[in-house]
Amino acid sequence: MREAQPDQVTELAAATSSRDPEVGLAAVAALRGLVDVLEALQVENARAKGWTWKAIAERLAVSKQAVHQKYAGGRLFRAGK
Amino acid sequence: MCLAYEESERLRHDYVGPEHALVGLAQQEDSRAAAILGASGLGPDVLRAGMDHLVAQGILPGPWRNKADLLQSVGIDLASVQQAVEESFGMEAVLTASRNARSRSWLREDWIMCTSPISPLSGKAMLVKRAFQLAGQEADELGLHEIRPEHVLLGVLRDAQDPVGTGLSRRARRVRAYLGLHPRGPSPVRLAIEASGTNLAALHSHVLADLHAAT
């Protein structure tokens, strides 16, 4: 990835405008993947710092059951308690 | 495997497939696999040009189809995000979080530990499982317990004899579609090899004969 010529990339970015659903949709999917990782990272960190599921859920604007269901039960989070 | 990964990086792909493995094998110096490929007129340069041609034809995904470029198109610099989270939480935590997030999705991605620095936010889907399974079978049939590059080559060549999507689950098909790969049709490996005038099945038996002669 590091070897690619930067001008080639900008050219491509310009050629494939985000009005093209092919690019736009794939970009959204990539974004969702990134959000999932960041969420997992932050929840894990909060649990390790002793935050309650309720407090985490409030900040994420979801129900505490939702966060708990998604992240509790992972060995990693339990180890952090 | 690292050479295959590098080829995937060069093409800015988000997966490592048998076509990348083929280029990697051709590059592996001092290996019987590279020697046979070279003798058949399939040196690394020829194969790389073949890959570029397949990209131009739209058979392999174009270079914009990777996470970093897609995120760039909506104004997010993946490298900066990665640097920021790694500084706050450390590489190990980011890698674990990526793994956890991916394990909840049907998209499986892996990281190969030969890149340095390894980038936890940009793993690649591994689509070489069938080729490697076949490589293992080839080694077994020769009565060997280790898989050498030439067995991987046999596996890649045997995998390429079947059309794309052979033996794949519904989820694996979905992954291919997500990555911008065609769901069916001849394998890119077959196309690259036949483009240079070599017959796939003949090359497979040639490699096999060479291995039998050596043992």
Side-chain angles (χ1 to χ4, degrees):
Chain A
M1 216 174 272
R2 268 140 241 109
E3 285 163 25
Q5 307 83 332
D7 49 322
Q8 191 195 342
V9 177
T10 25
E11 200 180 291
L12 275 162
T16 51
S17 84
S18 45
R19 286 296 290 271
D20 180 358
E22 179 79 27
V23 184
L25 293 173
V28 172
L31 198 52
R32 186 160 43 206
L34 181 61
V35 168
D36 284 344
V37 175
L38 295 180
E39 189 184 272
L41 196 58
Q42 295 294 351
V43 171
E44 186 181 349
N45 182 48
R47 285 299 291 172
K49 293 217 161 117
W51 281 49
T52 60
W53 291 113
K54 185 166 172 287
I56 296 170
E58 275 167 11
R59 303 314 189 277
L60 284 174
V62 294
S63 73
K64 66 174 189 285
Q65 288 87 350
V67 195
H68 188 264
Q69 192 182 10
K70 198 167 171 187
Y71 293 100
R75 302 120 297 201
L76 295 145
F77 298 103
R78 231 174 268 151
K81 263 190 204 175
Chain B
M1 202 62 222
C2 290
L3 291 168
Y5 186 90
E6 276 169 27
E7 176 62 14
S8 163
E9 286 279 274
R10 185 185 74 85
L11 292 164
R12 303 176 72 76
H13 284 161
D14 247 4
Y15 72 100
V16 178
E19 51 274 25
H20 304 126
L22 181 67
V23 179
L25 285 166
Q27 269 179 291
Q28 199 162 39
E29 282 169 31
D30 305 327
S31 78
R32 190 180 288 274
I36 296 172
L37 283 172
S40 312
L42 294 163
D45 296 336
V46 175
L47 286 174
R48 262 194 231 113
M51 294 302 138
D52 292 339
H53 187 60
L54 291 177
V55 170
Q57 284 180 311
I59 290 166
L60 291 179
W64 55 268
R65 213 173 171 119
N66 66 76
K67 278 188 279 298
D69 285 341
L70 285 170
L71 290 172
Q72 196 78 62
S73 79
V74 287
I76 293 170
D77 183 17
L78 187 60
S80 317
V81 175
Q82 187 158 316
Q83 202 190 342
V85 291
E86 264 173 42
E87 269 169 23
S88 333
F89 300 105
M91 168 100 97
E92 209 48 51
V94 182
L95 200 56
T96 309
S98 313
R99 218 171 260 143
N100 287 346
R102 296 276 176 256
S103 71
R104 272 189 294 273
S105 111
W106 45 264
L107 185 66
R108 294 281 184 278
E109 287 182 337
D110 288 297
W111 293 269
I112 300 182
M113 297 303 175
C114 55
T115 49
S116 102
I118 131 158
S119 40
L121 291 184
S122 45
K124 284 180 191 290
M126 293 294 150
L127 306 184
V128 283
K129 195 172 161 194
R130 184 165 185 267
F132 274 73
Q133 214 167 7
L134 291 170
Q137 281 177 22
E138 298 275 3
D140 273 350
E141 279 162 24
L142 290 162
L144 295 170
H145 296 295
E146 58 166 356
I147 300 178
R148 301 191 47 78
E150 42 277 23
H151 304 129
V152 178
L153 177 58
L154 283 173
V156 167
L157 294 176
R158 210 157 87 177
D159 173 59
Q161 290 178 20
D162 302 320
V164 159
T166 303
L168 283 185
S169 64
R170 192 179 285 196
R171 196 197 77 196
R173 284 172 205 276
R174 212 150 40 138
V175 170
R176 292 187 61 90
Y178 168 72
L179 292 165
L181 284 159
H182 286 264
R184 52 185 72 84
S187 125
V189 170
R190 174 192 279 275
L191 293 172
I193 288 176
E194 288 181 348
S196 69
T198 313
N199 181 284
L200 187 65
L203 184 61
H204 181 266
S205 16
H206 177 60
V207 179
L208 208 54
D210 190 273
L211 280 184
H212 275 300
T215 45

